[in-house]
Amino acid sequence: MELQGRRVLIVGLGQSGLAAARLCLNQGAKVIGNDSRSASQLDPAAQALGIELVLGGHDNAPFEQVDLVVVSPGIPPLPQLDRCVQRGVEVIGELELGWRFCKAPVLAVGGTNGKSTTTALLAQLLLSQGLKVFAGGNLGSPLCEAVGHDYDALVVEVSSFQLERAPSFQPKISVLLNVTDDHLDRYDSFQHYADAKGNAFVRQERGDFAIVPAGDPICLQQALRGHGRLIRFGQAGAAGVDSEIDYAVGSVGVIETLTGEQFDLTRSALHGTHNWLNAAAAVAAARRFGAAPESIREGLQVFKPLHHRMALAGEIAGVRYYDDSKGTNVGAAVTAVGGVPESRVVLIAGGRDKLGSYAPLRAALEKKGRACVLIGEAADKIAAALQGAVVLERAASMDEAVRIAAKLAQKGDAVLLSPACSSFDMFSGYAARGDAFVQAVKGLTQGESS
C-alpha cells in the first residue's frame, strides 16, 4: 500500500487512531486527525504528532478532500463515511491498515467472550516455543504498532467493530470462540453482529486454519464463509460431537485427539471449564502454528491470567471469591456461572444495561445459583428476569454487595462478580469495578484469606 504524498483522514484519535496516524506519517502521508472531543479532552499525544486536527465533531472534517479514511473501532456508522465509499474513497479500519503493512503471519482470536484470555495464552504458548511474538489488537497495543518490527507471529485479538472495515484481512489462523448477544445497540440484528465476527474467516485460503467450537452452528457457519482448514475444540464426551473434536477438554486437560498428546491444566492458573475450553482453542492454534508439545506444556504452567477475568480474589471460610469484572454481557456471565468448579454460586451482577435478554442468566442460576446480589442501573431489569429463580438482594455499593454475598454463601460455594453489564454507571471501567471487588474481599473479616 503506497501512502507517500497521499492525504489520509484518521477518524477517532484514541489509542488505535494515534497508532494509525503514526504509521501513516512514517509512510510519508499527509495526515488529518478528526475527533468528536475538544482539544482539552484529547490525549496530549495527538497534539504532539504535529498533524492538522479537526475537533469537536465530524461535520467539518475534510471527508471530500482526502485519498483514504482510516476509522477507529469505537466510531459509530457515519453518513460521511457512506458518502466517501460512494465516491470511491477507500474507508478502512485501523486493523486493516496495520495488516497491509505487517509481514509476519497473523493469528486472530475473536468471540464475544474469552478472546482476551485466549489471545494472551496463545501468545505465551508461542513465546515458550522461543518465537518473537506481538500480542495486541483489541487487547493492548493496536496492530499498527507492530509494523516495522521483526516478529515471528502476530497474535491479535479482533473485535466485531475492527472487522467491519477489514476487506483484505487474512489471518493464517483464525479462532472464533463463541458468539452471543452483545452490542445490539450498534447492530440491527444478531446475525449482522455474528457476520461481523465472522469476517476474519472470509479471506482465508486452504493453507490457513479456521478454529471453532465443536457443535456450535453459529461459529461453524461463519468459518465456512472462507476456505481455511476446519479445526474443532470442545468437551470430550459431549453428546453428538465426539467425531468432530480435534482438541478435547477432559479431566486431564486438553487432549489432541489425532495424536493422543495430553496437556495438563490441573496445575495451571486457569479457573473454570470455560477457561479450559479457551485453553483448548489456544493449544489448537499453537499446534497448527508448529509449536512443540513440550513448549505448550511449559507455556500453560507459566501463564498468568489477565486481571478481572475469572481471577481468584481470595478464599474465606471455605468460600472462594472470583473476580470476573470483564464479564460485561449476559453470555459472559452465563459462561462464568457454569464454569466455576464450585457447585453453588452467589452472583454479583448489574451495571449499565446493554439491551440483551437476561433469560439465559436465569437458566444458568436455576442450575447453580444460590443467590444473586444486584447493583447498578440494570438491577430492576435483572431482578424482573430472575424473580423466583434464586434469592435476590440489592446493594448500593460494591463493598455492600460483597458483604451481603459473603453472608449468603455457604462453605464450598463461590462468590462470583460477573456483572453481565457495562460498568459505566458506577465505575470508570471494568478494571475499576474489579479492583473495588478485590478490595471489598480483602476487607471481609470473617475467617482468614488464603
Side-chain angles (χ1 to χ4, degrees), residues 319-341:
V319 176
R320 284 190 162 194
Y321 292 77
Y322 294 98
D323 170 15
D324 189 44
S325 184
K326 189 61 167 64
T328 58
N329 58 66
V330 174
V334 168
T335 300
V337 169
V340 294

Side-chain angles (χ1 to χ4, degrees), residues 13-27:
L13 296 174
Q15 188 178 15
S16 292
L18 293 177
R22 292 189 191 99
L23 173 55
C24 291
L25 286 171
N26 290 338
Q27 295 296 320

Side-chain angles (χ1 to χ4, degrees), residues 85-384:
V85 173
Q86 292 168 3
R87 292 196 310 272
V89 176
E90 191 172 26
V91 180
I92 62 174
E94 178 272 329
L95 177 75
E96 172 75 10
L97 178 68
W99 154 258
R100 293 186 184 185
F101 285 95
C102 286
K103 296 180 180 180
V106 169
L107 296 83
V109 180
T112 306
N113 303 304
K115 55 185 179 293
S116 294
T117 294
T118 307
T119 299
L121 176 57
L122 175 54
Q124 179 61 64
L125 300 183
L126 298 182
L127 285 169
S128 294
Q129 177 70 18
L131 301 179
K132 187 176 180 181
V133 181
F134 169 86
N138 191 57
L139 166 70
S141 302
L143 183 57
C144 282
E145 293 187 2
V147 176
H149 297 278
D150 187 23
Y151 290 109
D152 298 312
L154 306 170
V155 182
V156 183
E157 178 184 318
V158 292
S159 70
S160 60
F161 295 175
Q162 290 175 312
L163 292 168
E164 288 173 359
R165 298 186 183 274
S168 69
F169 185 60
Q170 184 191 339
K172 177 68 178 176
I173 296 174
S174 182
V175 179
L176 184 59
L177 299 168
N178 47 64
V179 184
T180 60
D181 283 357
D182 200 8
H183 298 304
L184 297 184
D185 51 345
R186 174 139 169 171
Y187 297 97
D188 57 12
S189 70
F190 174 78
Q191 188 62 52
H192 286 163
Y193 169 61
D195 289 344
K197 288 285 189 188
N199 284 341
F201 294 113
V202 172
R203 295 279 179 175
Q204 285 195 300
E205 299 173 351
R206 298 193 185 280
D208 302 324
F209 294 94
I211 299 176
V212 295
D216 188 323
I218 297 171
C219 292
L220 177 61
Q221 177 192 49
Q222 296 302 325
L224 294 178
R225 293 169 63 195
H227 299 289
R229 177 184 166 187
L230 200 62
I231 303 292
R232 295 179 174 90
F233 65 94
Q235 288 185 294
V241 298
D242 280 357
S243 62
E244 298 178 343
I245 294 176
D246 296 278
Y247 291 84
V249 172
S251 59
V252 299
V254 178
I255 305 165
E256 189 172 58
T257 55
L258 180 64
T259 65
E261 290 280 2
Q262 296 184 2
F263 304 94
D264 181 28
L265 292 173
T266 58
R267 292 177 294 159
S268 77
L270 292 162
H271 298 288
T273 55
H274 60 298
N275 270 331
W276 282 30
L277 288 168
N278 292 338
V283 170
R287 289 288 282 154
R288 294 310 95 200
F289 201 69
E294 313 83 65
S295 299
I296 290 176
R297 293 187 183 100
E298 177 187 330
L300 290 170
Q301 293 308 308
V302 302
F303 176 70
K304 301 298 183 187
L306 299 170
H307 294 306
H308 313 302
R309 294 164 174 87
M310 283 302 294
L312 182 62
E315 183 173 343
I316 300 171
V319 176
R320 284 190 162 194
Y321 292 77
Y322 294 98
D323 170 15
D324 189 44
S325 184
K326 189 61 167 64
T328 58
N329 58 66
V330 174
V334 168
T335 300
V337 169
V340 294
E342 289 77 14
S343 59
R344 289 291 171 186
V345 175
V346 178
L347 178 67
I348 299 175
R352 180 156 292 171
D353 184 47
K354 297 178 78 174
L355 305 183
S357 168
Y358 293 100
L361 185 59
R362 179 188 180 93
L365 288 174
E366 284 176 337
K367 293 179 181 178
K368 290 189 68 170
R370 185 173 300 283
C372 184
V373 183
L374 299 173
I375 60 174
E377 293 176 355
D380 288 345
K381 184 175 179 181
I382 300 174

